[in-house]
Amino acid sequence: MIGDGEAETASLATAWHSNKFLDPITDGAVLPILHLNGYKISNPTVLARIEHEELDHFFRGCGWNPLFVEGDDPETMHELMASTLEKAIEDIREIQKNAREQNDTTRPRWPMIVLRSPKGWTGPQVVDGLQIEGTFRAHQVPLLVDIEHPDHVALLESWMKSYKAEELFDEKGRLMPELAELAPKGNRRMGANPHANGGILLRNLIMPDFRLHAVTVPSPGAVNGQDTLVLGKFLRDIAKLNQKNFRVFGPDETLSNLLGAVFEVTNRQWDAREVANDEFLAPAGRVLDSMLSENQCEGWLEGYLLTGRHGLFNSYEAFIRIIDSMFSQHAKWLKVCLELPWRRKISSLNYLLASHVWQQDHNGFTHQDPGFLDHVINKKADIVRVYLPADANCLLSVFDHCLRSRNYVNVVVAGKHALPQWLTIEEAVVHCTEGIGIWQWASNDQEGEPDVVMGCCGDTPTLEILAAVSILREHLPDLKIRVINVVDLMKLQSASEHPHGLSELDYDALFTKDKHIIFGFHGYSSLVHRLTYRRTNRNLHVRGYKEEGTITTAFDMRVQNDLDRFHLVQDVVDRLPHLGSKGAYLKQEMKDMLIKHKNYIDEHGEDLPEIRNWKWGQHKSQQRTTSTKQPAVNQR
């Protein structure tokens, strides 16, 4: 049932095209009912004010067969609605019968109903001399009954009595037996329909071993890899094993986000016309990404999850913001469901945000917005989870966890471009299970207190923090540095605020109570400050995205936002005055390198060779000499 006001929103105005993705052979059916009562809060609705012929042509143009139920006499309308519903259901059954028995893949014209009735139908006609029924005023409180309007009590009484409750209920307030008999029985009842409580129908995914797709990492940073490309093969195996209850959704970005391996085992569902050179289109498939509408994809996925299935939404990071409000409503719904014992848990809403802010080779400034993370963490702590894996093996571990989870919203941010790979698969499993930890192989403070803590969260900040550490350890070998990587963003928040948050004791053990923390973050720096505002150590200096960028080199994007290794080294020097002249000389060298970088990219259009070819461990001070085992903290 679609109200004519809501029908004007992006989500529902787009949804009329869903019939191009509905296979009558393998899928069920939907019977949309557009309720035209003419008004929104104080304005008329568009579809109610166009001519009947235009309205009919509009829906036929969208591929539907509209059936009209129009009038204002209740008894006549009840009979007309019943007969129209019966015809619509007969049409749906005939469409399915023909498609399934004749293997007819021709896209049918599914029925839909346009119900036109007065706004405020059967309510008060006139109040205080103003027309109510059939006007926008019926959208608000039609009849105000309070101490200032005592004369409205009689109007309210007349209105309520017009429904003749004495004919519906006995003297004890129970529904008349002959009327109760008309209601459906068992699961046919609307409230008992298992599809309305999808957790009843939910079945666990058959999960392949994600370790089979692990990147071999002989030593930290020794090899490069494309994180989402690796994930795509894992998703391919999931799709192959779960042909009935797993789908991948996205606004035409599955290939761009390097998840194309899924097309080795399934297709894009597409029931419109096909032409030569189309790729991966079929009447039935496990991928729904052929419509460039984040609203549509979000709506499809939410409906899929609510009816007991599993899926994920892959999107460019910047454009997931289009469905901010849709995410919010789903998160609120999950929060309330946790308070209802009869409401079964459903599969989590999983977002994969790729093509992210830090590498936009040809899209530029318009495609740079990591702000979805800021929006998500405002929701209830027992609902939202945010993960920023540092490499492909971490991404595999995180997504295996997310797809197994229930009643959460999981947001995972990952890159698609080739970047250094840091952890073996077993190291990644330990690190991601803990969510945060010291990377001992990158640190040199094992024998005492660190002089500075270098933190990072996200693939690109991790790269630049480690590159900065390598410079510091080469030029200032006596400087004691602790490197901390964060996968689970909510670890930064206090345990009193989020179930994943670190206790004060654990946080202080990692970050110390008073040492300077230089933190490289994937998104807006203010988010880290918000999450850590209760922590003891106030010496936190965050570098993140600050709305600078264009179509430029990958490293220059970091330079423009002060997240590059040269700026990070300067940050350390500025916070540690005891470095004296050694620090001054190093800071000058970093400034010189920034000028060298600018001149080089202007001339050559690519990053400096020492940037492109940099690897961890090039200097003996960075060789792995200690165990990679990390101190245990709260697990996810």
Side-chain angles (χ1 to χ4, degrees):
M1 179 69 75
I2 304 160
D4 48 355
E6 287 73 20
E8 297 174 5
T9 64
S11 304
L12 289 174
T14 306
W16 296 113
H17 291 297
S18 294
N19 54 9
K20 286 80 172 176
F21 304 90
L22 192 64
D23 180 18
I25 297 177
T26 61
D27 294 331
V30 176
L31 176 59
I33 301 175
L34 173 65
H35 186 200
L36 292 182
N37 61 25
Y39 293 94
K40 303 184 282 280
I41 297 174
S42 60
N43 265 292
T45 57
V46 174
L47 294 179
R49 291 295 181 92
I50 63 178
E51 299 305 317
H52 185 284
E53 182 182 26
E54 183 180 352
L55 186 65
D56 181 73
H57 287 176
F58 172 77
F59 286 112
R60 292 188 185 279
C62 289
W64 299 92
N65 178 28
L67 306 174
F68 290 84
V69 177
E70 301 173 294
D72 58 10
D73 177 64
E75 290 192 12
T76 302
M77 287 286 280
H78 278 300
E79 184 176 344
L80 180 57
M81 187 66 179
S83 61
T84 303
L85 277 170
E86 187 171 348
K87 173 174 172 44
I89 293 170
E90 288 175 354
D91 289 350
I92 289 171
R93 288 174 174 168
E94 182 58 33
I95 288 169
Q96 293 175 330
K97 181 175 184 292
N98 175 70
R100 294 166 186 177
E101 293 182 359
Q102 306 300 323
N103 196 33
D104 186 355
T105 59
T106 304
R107 179 167 62 90
R109 285 188 175 273
W110 298 94
M112 58 88 63
I113 294 174
V114 179
L115 169 62
R116 190 190 297 269
S117 65
K119 186 81 168 179
W121 194 21
T122 73
Q125 291 277 332
V126 177
V127 177
D128 296 335
L130 295 175
Q131 181 70 30
I132 301 297
E133 186 183 54
T135 75
F136 70 88
R137 296 183 186 91
H139 190 95
Q140 307 292 337
V141 178
L143 187 62
L144 192 60
V145 180
D146 58 20
I147 195 170
E148 296 179 3
H149 301 84
D151 52 325
H152 288 182
V153 173
L155 289 174
L156 176 61
E157 181 181 20
S158 174
W159 177 17
M160 292 297 100
K161 285 184 174 180
S162 71
Y163 295 120
K164 301 179 181 179
E166 67 277 5
E167 298 179 8
L168 306 176
F169 304 96
D170 63 21
E171 64 278 1
K172 293 184 178 181
R174 291 175 299 196
L175 188 63
M176 294 293 190
E178 60 271 25
L179 296 178
E181 280 299 312
L182 297 175
K185 303 294 190 295
N187 286 348
R188 293 288 185 178
R189 294 171 296 161
M190 184 180 295
N193 187 326
H195 292 91
N197 190 0
I200 296 173
L201 302 174
L202 185 64
R203 298 294 179 268
N204 291 336
L205 287 172
I206 302 171
M207 293 294 287
D209 185 357
F210 64 89
R211 293 170 177 82
L212 298 175
H213 302 290
V215 177
T216 300
V217 181
S219 64
V223 298
N224 284 356
Q226 295 173 274
D227 297 356
T228 56
L229 185 67
V230 174
L231 178 66
K233 298 174 182 177
F234 179 46
L235 296 178
R236 173 199 62 196
D237 292 356
I238 296 173
K240 183 178 181 179
L241 293 172
N242 300 274
Q243 291 287 329
K244 299 294 185 181
N245 64 338
F246 176 76
R247 288 184 185 267
V248 175
F249 298 81
D252 190 26
E253 290 160 1
T254 305
L255 284 175
S256 179
N257 287 334
L258 301 189
L259 304 179
V262 295
F263 295 120
E264 297 173 19
V265 298
T266 189
N267 289 298
R268 294 173 163 129
Q269 181 138 341
W270 176 265
D271 292 86
R273 186 167 55 91
E274 295 181 40
V275 299
N277 298 315
D278 284 341
E279 282 192 326
F280 313 125
L281 300 184
R286 310 314 299 168
V287 179
L288 280 161
D289 78 336
S290 296
M291 193 163 179
L292 188 57
S293 170
E294 287 79 4
N295 301 91
Q296 184 82 305
C297 295
E298 176 75 11
W300 281 339
L301 176 54
E302 287 186 20
Y304 200 61
L305 300 179
L306 291 171
T307 49
R309 279 77 67 85
H310 307 259
L312 70 95
F313 186 156
N314 83 97
S315 172
Y316 282 14
E317 180 183 47
F319 300 128
I320 199 67
R321 302 304 309 272
I322 293 170
I323 53 86
D324 274 7
S325 63
M326 297 180 74
F327 147 77
S328 292
Q329 294 304 313
H330 188 77
K332 289 175 181 291
W333 185 87
L334 288 174
K335 184 263 183 188
V336 173
C337 285
L338 289 176
E339 301 166 4
L340 304 173
W342 55 267
R343 173 66 71 175
R344 302 286 184 87
K345 289 186 176 182
I346 62 171
S347 182
S348 297
L349 173 55
N350 298 306
Y351 294 101
L352 173 64
L353 308 186
S355 301
H356 62 54
V357 60
W358 293 110
Q359 196 139 4
Q360 290 295 333
D361 299 332
H362 56 271
N363 286 317
F365 193 46
T366 58
H367 286 55
Q368 296 162 5
D369 186 349
F372 191 61
L373 302 184
D374 299 68
H375 178 56
V376 166
I377 69 157
N378 289 318
K379 297 299 173 254
K380 294 295 292 185
D382 50 2
I383 299 298
V384 296
R385 305 288 184 264
V386 179
Y387 302 99
L388 294 100
D391 64 7
N393 287 340
C394 288
L395 179 60
L396 288 171
S397 178
V398 164
F399 238 94
D400 178 79
H401 167 73
C402 291
L403 289 172
R404 295 174 187 269
S405 67
R406 300 286 185 270
N407 265 46
Y408 294 136
V409 176
N410 297 310
V411 180
V412 182
V413 183
K416 65 182 183 182
H417 292 278
L419 287 176
Q421 303 296 299
W422 308 109
L423 303 182
T424 68
I425 190 62
E426 294 308 324
E427 292 169 349
V429 170
V430 172
H431 182 49
C432 293
T433 301
E434 293 173 345
I436 186 173
I438 299 172
W439 279 5
Q440 295 194 29
W441 50 266
S443 307
N444 66 348
D445 68 323
Q446 290 84 351
E447 302 302 322
E449 284 293 302
D451 296 306
V452 66
V453 176
M454 304 290 281
C456 47
C457 184
D459 54 8
T460 300
T462 298
L463 168 61
E464 290 305 313
I465 283 288
L466 288 172
V469 169
S470 72
I471 295 172
L472 290 165
R473 290 181 59 177
E474 178 188 358
H475 290 82
L476 303 169
D478 295 330
L479 186 67
K480 299 303 180 184
I481 304 172
R482 177 178 296 176
V483 177
I484 296 175
N485 182 262
V486 179
V487 176
D488 182 348
L489 182 62
M490 307 318 293
K491 289 290 181 182
L492 297 178
Q493 198 166 29
S494 172
S496 64
E497 298 294 319
H498 195 284
H500 283 202
L502 292 180
S503 68
E504 299 305 318
L505 187 65
D506 285 337
Y507 185 91
D508 291 344
L510 289 174
F511 290 99
T512 77
K513 291 185 177 182
D514 56 0
K515 304 301 181 182
H516 285 283
I517 306 166
I518 308 299
F519 198 97
F521 181 53
H522 173 87
Y524 295 109
S525 60
S526 59
L527 178 54
V528 175
H529 286 291
R530 286 171 58 193
L531 293 173
T532 60
Y533 80 99
R534 288 190 175 187
R535 301 300 189 179
T536 301
N537 191 341
R538 311 308 299 167
N539 295 315
L540 176 64
H541 318 284
V542 186
R543 293 292 188 181
Y545 182 63
K546 57 179 191 178
E547 290 294 328
E548 295 292 343
T550 182
I551 299 174
T552 186
T553 70
F555 184 70
D556 192 53
M557 261 297 298
R558 304 163 206 165
V559 170
Q560 291 188 31
N561 290 276
D562 298 340
L563 184 62
D564 63 282
R565 60 201 69 179
F566 303 136
H567 277 103
L568 292 169
V569 169
Q570 293 181 67
D571 281 345
V572 172
V573 173
D574 288 343
R575 267 79 187 183
L576 301 177
H578 74 273
L579 294 176
S581 61
K582 288 183 179 180
Y585 277 97
L586 179 57
K587 183 175 180 179
Q588 181 63 57
E589 184 177 340
M590 296 301 97
K591 291 181 177 180
D592 295 345
M593 286 301 300
L594 287 169
I595 294 172
K596 181 180 178 181
H597 151 76
K598 180 65 167 61
N599 292 337
Y600 189 88
I601 65 169
D602 285 349
E603 180 177 353
H604 300 281
E606 62 178 358
D607 288 321
L608 287 161
E610 52 263 55
I611 300 297
R612 289 183 279 116
N613 302 324
W614 177 86
K615 288 187 180 297
W616 176 265
Q618 289 174 326
H619 300 282
K620 63 180 181 180
S621 64
Q622 301 152 28
Q623 298 298 320
R624 185 196 291 241
T625 58
T626 60
S627 167
T628 59
K629 183 172 176 58
Q630 303 170 35
V633 294
N634 297 336
Q635 300 197 354
R636 66 185 176 196

